[in-house]
Amino acid sequence: MELFTAIFTGTIVAATPLIFAALGELVVEKSGVLNLGIEGMMLMGAALAFWAVTAGYSMPVAILAGALAGAAASLLFGVLALTFLTNQYAAGLALAIFGSGVSAFIGRGFGSDPIEALHGVNIAILSGLPVLGPLLFRFDPLVYLALAMFVAISWFLYRTKAGLILRTVGESPQTSHAIGYPVIRIRYMAVLFGGLMAGLAGAYLSVAYTPLWVENMTAGKGWIALALVVFATWRPLRVLLGAWLFGGMTILQLQGQALGLQVPSELLSALPYLATIVVLVLISRNRQMLALHFPASLAKPFRPAG
Amino acid sequence: MRIAAPVLASVLTLIVGSIFFASLGHDPLPTLYAFFVEPLSSMNGLSEWLLKASPLILIACGLAIGFRANVWNIGAEGQFIMGAVAASGVGLFWSDPDSALLLPLMFLAGMAAGMAWAAIPAFLRSRMNTNEILVTLMMTYIATLFLSYLVHGPWRDPAGFNYPQTALLPAAAMFQSFDPAYRLNSSIFITVVAVFLMWLFTDRSFLGYKMSVSGAAPLAARYAGFRESAAVWIGLLAGGAAAGIAGMAEAAGPLGQLSPQVSPGYGFAAIIVAFIGRLNAFGIVLGGLLMSLLFLGGEGVQMTLALPSALTRIFQGILLFFLLAADFFIFYRIRLVRPAPDAHALETAR
């Protein structure tokens, strides 16, 4: 039972940064924009949140700082991709490289000491429940925030007019523009939201999950989040399930190392990357399923004609 | 005009760099001098400049062939590592360490390993419709872990004081330096040949033309009967081969052995080089020289002015940002357009 609790809670916690980053990217891609720079935005968020904690700011302020750092980074991408109509692949790659450099620069004086991690919640009765308490009600607040974001984004995209407009812009910006919707402005908002979420994901890594600063500490999680969106065929619920699947993979790998399995630790560490490839292949083979939810204008620059 | 954008971007990067240095409390002009001029003011500096430019140009040439056809191989770093691993394996364990065939065999091994590592995403993209950006990147993480496994495990030098590195390669497995005092070696000729081959392919061959059409106008390419899967295979294998050879040359040149840090990020920087070079051979040479200077200057100011090494990556990112933005002013004509009436306003007016 204890092992089960450890694996279950570990999975939920490991999935949290992926949920933030992938849900943010889902909204961005639904608006027809492909931002490959999640890794860079996450690193900026992680570095700034960690800095805020070491500088003596409170936890909520630090997390907010991380989120805003991600949003600021995404604005750079937005200006390039939306105003200057550049190739979105190249702009995203530039952001990934730039973010890794800036975060390493910010983090150069951090040292290697961990900070006190974000505390778990303590809800009077619920957290004290015998089995369910440790299983469901003792996570840190950001875990619940991630789930709340899932509900909010699902509702926004499929149950509100604004969500419908966002998806329309992603399907056909020309039509949306002709009807009179401000395509560029809507896409800017989506990109900023994606940056905010990626920043949150990074902040979660450096102040709650690890909680210490290591250069390039995201270790590809930004790219895995990108893969998760494809894996989920652009649907929020599948993003959530995919993130849990990958969280579980991470935890099994750690448990495997702890149990002293007779395989090289590098092989275990490679599992999430291998799994990403396998999962992508399985999903992508079915072209019909991809086409069904794929935002038709994804990664195509839009400029208002006329 | 195609040349204006990279020049403009470089100037803007210098200006931002100066502001950045000033805000760190360093006088901008001497710092810029230390970053961009000092490294080139000695023979050793010039040797290092070309030594670092060589792999960047080589890899960028290979990648650009794919990029022209919209095949996004961003895993050159992994293909570089696998090339270095395979070549070092041959160099370390070939039965005759004095054989004159050793270096050519290592060359072939490095190239084959880079191509094999790129063939996986090529197969998955052409047969399984799988996005090559994500697969090449994941393959890079796996290659890094594989290298780490080898140098911590089976290939670790037993006489290496437990450092995670292999034994030194035998002399016959190394490129000769032009001058024993400097590290620049004969592998630079490989890059020269690669640049020529790339020019031949992109500017003088029908296949290269077909690939450019696939990138610029996919629908036209399909209508003309150019196969998309051929472009995917050629694009990825060219990048893989170039990166694998570059990895081989790094192991058999300045390094002389394998360690976890085989590449200082050449595979990623080469992507930027390909873009600065506008995906053509001559431009890539200039882009590679510029990027190499960034690496070198970054190392220089790290030692002389104690500025952090992350500066190199920041400058790389800024340079690419400016380059992409500068393109806008070259490829588009700016015209003020009155906004269309707001949909909401229309609805309420009705």
Side-chain angles (χ1 to χ4, degrees):
Chain A
M1 190 63 215
E2 244 173 59
L3 184 66
F4 173 76
T5 310
I7 291 179
F8 177 81
T9 54
T11 299
I12 301 290
V13 169
T16 297
L18 292 175
I19 296 175
F20 278 125
L23 281 178
E25 179 69 12
L26 176 77
V27 172
V28 180
E29 292 192 16
K30 273 290 181 193
S31 81
V33 181
L34 179 68
N35 184 352
L36 291 183
I38 306 180
E39 187 87 355
M41 299 187 290
M42 279 178 76
L43 282 167
M44 300 264 279
L48 220 71
F50 193 88
W51 168 81
V53 170
T54 52
Y57 291 98
S58 68
M59 232 4 144
V61 173
I63 292 163
L64 189 67
L68 289 177
S74 75
L75 192 60
L76 279 173
F77 169 84
V79 169
L80 283 175
L82 301 176
T83 302
F84 288 126
L85 308 177
T86 58
N87 180 318
Q88 294 181 6
Y89 293 103
L93 284 176
L95 180 59
I97 295 171
F98 180 74
S100 125
V102 171
S103 66
F105 181 76
I106 297 172
R108 69 193 188 283
F110 284 171
S112 54
D113 295 331
I115 52 173
E116 197 182 340
L118 186 63
H119 290 297
V121 293
N122 191 357
I123 316 163
I125 308 168
L126 292 177
S127 305
L129 286 175
V131 178
L132 293 177
L135 215 50
L136 295 177
F137 301 111
R138 288 185 195 168
F139 292 112
D140 60 75
L142 286 181
V143 169
Y144 303 105
L145 178 65
L147 296 176
M149 289 312 282
F150 158 71
V151 175
I153 288 172
S154 308
W155 173 78
F156 168 79
L157 281 177
Y158 296 101
R159 292 279 179 274
T160 68
K161 187 178 175 194
L164 180 65
I165 294 172
L166 181 100
R167 287 186 290 137
T168 312
V169 165
E171 294 300 334
S172 175
Q174 278 76 17
T175 315
S176 311
H177 176 72
I179 306 174
Y181 291 118
V183 172
I184 304 288
R185 200 186 313 159
I186 291 169
R187 287 187 164 178
Y188 259 110
M189 288 193 285
V191 165
L192 279 174
F193 179 74
L196 209 64
M197 293 286 274
L200 260 180
Y204 188 76
L205 285 177
S206 69
V207 305
Y209 188 63
T210 321
L212 45 81
W213 171 256
V214 188
E215 224 180 278
N216 284 328
M217 62 185 294
T218 45
K221 288 197 175 63
W223 298 102
I224 291 180
L226 212 52
L228 270 179
V229 179
V230 181
F231 165 70
T233 56
W234 294 272
R235 277 177 288 181
L237 179 61
R238 290 190 166 203
V239 167
L240 194 66
L241 298 177
W244 283 337
L245 183 73
F246 275 90
M249 196 87 65
T250 317
I251 294 308
L252 286 180
Q253 161 214 328
L254 292 176
Q255 292 283 348
Q257 274 170 8
L259 289 174
L261 283 185
Q262 289 302 311
V263 279
S265 65
E266 285 89 354
L267 181 64
L268 290 172
S269 304
L271 278 181
Y273 308 116
L274 278 170
T276 306
I277 296 177
V278 170
V279 153
L280 273 177
V281 169
L282 291 178
I283 293 296
S284 308
R285 281 183 70 182
N286 190 342
R287 284 170 196 259
Q288 219 168 4
M289 194 156 76
L290 279 189
L292 212 55
H293 295 270
F294 175 81
S297 74
L298 189 64
K300 293 189 185 121
F302 167 76
R303 91 195 132 105
Chain B
M1 279 308 250
R2 276 156 39 107
I3 302 166
V7 173
L8 180 66
S10 307
V11 171
L12 287 172
T13 306
L14 280 186
I15 294 172
V16 170
S18 316
I19 298 169
F20 196 67
F21 287 139
S23 69
L24 287 176
H26 290 275
D27 201 350
L29 280 179
T31 315
L32 284 179
Y33 181 83
F35 209 108
F36 293 107
V37 183
E38 214 161 80
L40 303 183
S41 56
S42 69
M43 268 312 277
N44 186 47
L46 287 173
S47 145
E48 291 291 305
W49 185 38
L50 294 177
L51 182 79
K52 287 186 198 307
S54 173
L56 288 168
I57 295 170
L58 178 57
I59 301 170
C61 279
L63 291 180
I65 288 177
F67 291 169
R68 280 170 163 258
N70 266 341
V71 176
W72 295 93
N73 174 8
I74 59 170
E77 185 82 359
Q79 293 140 21
F80 180 99
I81 289 172
M82 293 312 282
V85 164
S88 305
V90 171
L92 288 169
F93 303 115
W94 190 255
S95 52
D96 177 10
D98 298 319
S99 166
L101 283 176
L102 198 52
L103 207 53
L105 281 173
M106 287 168 66
F107 177 87
L108 291 177
M111 185 167 79
M115 288 172 86
W117 213 242
I120 297 170
F123 173 77
L124 295 179
R125 161 85 194 266
S126 59
R127 285 300 182 83
M128 308 283 189
N129 188 32
T130 310
N131 181 315
E132 76 280 12
I133 298 180
L134 293 167
V135 176
T136 49
L137 204 86
M138 295 296 135
M139 300 284 293
T140 297
Y141 287 104
I142 296 171
T144 311
L145 287 164
F146 180 61
L147 169 67
S148 162
Y149 162 71
L150 285 178
V151 296
H152 282 97
W155 285 14
R156 175 149 68 185
D157 181 10
F161 305 103
N162 253 351
Y163 280 110
Q165 58 193 26
T166 64
L168 288 172
L169 290 169
M174 301 280 291
F175 285 108
Q176 291 296 310
S177 291
F178 292 120
D179 181 326
Y182 309 118
R183 297 203 298 172
L184 186 65
N185 61 56
S186 47
S187 71
I188 196 165
F189 293 125
I190 299 175
T191 300
V192 174
V193 172
V195 170
F196 178 70
L197 286 178
M198 153 140 195
W199 173 80
L200 217 56
F201 182 79
T202 55
D203 287 36
R204 288 289 176 274
S205 78
F206 184 47
L207 191 57
Y209 173 72
K210 287 204 279 192
M211 289 195 54
S212 300
V213 175
S214 304
L219 291 178
R222 198 184 303 165
Y223 181 69
F226 304 161
R227 276 176 41 231
E228 192 206 356
S229 64
V232 168
W233 275 101
I234 295 168
L236 275 156
L237 289 183
I245 294 169
M248 175 268 171
E250 192 72 8
L255 298 179
Q257 68 189 139
L258 280 185
S259 74
Q261 296 85 27
V262 166
S263 167
Y266 287 152
F268 292 115
I271 299 171
I272 304 179
V273 170
F275 277 106
I276 301 175
R278 320 251 63 152
L279 308 182
N280 84 51
F282 180 66
I284 285 172
V285 173
L286 294 181
L289 289 171
L290 178 65
M291 186 60 65
S292 161
L293 190 55
L294 275 181
F295 271 105
L296 211 56
E299 279 176 17
V301 295
Q302 193 185 352
M303 280 184 283
T304 54
L305 302 173
L307 283 166
S309 62
L311 275 182
T312 309
R313 262 176 293 162
I314 296 182
F315 275 139
Q316 287 175 1
I318 294 178
L319 184 62
L320 191 50
F321 279 141
F322 278 131
L323 182 78
L324 293 170
D327 273 353
F328 173 72
F329 295 100
I330 286 161
F331 293 132
Y332 291 95
R333 186 165 55 96
I334 297 169
R335 190 159 63 93
L336 282 177
V337 184
R338 280 198 318 144
D342 192 73
H344 185 65
L346 263 180
E347 254 169 48
T348 44
R350 250 178 225 144

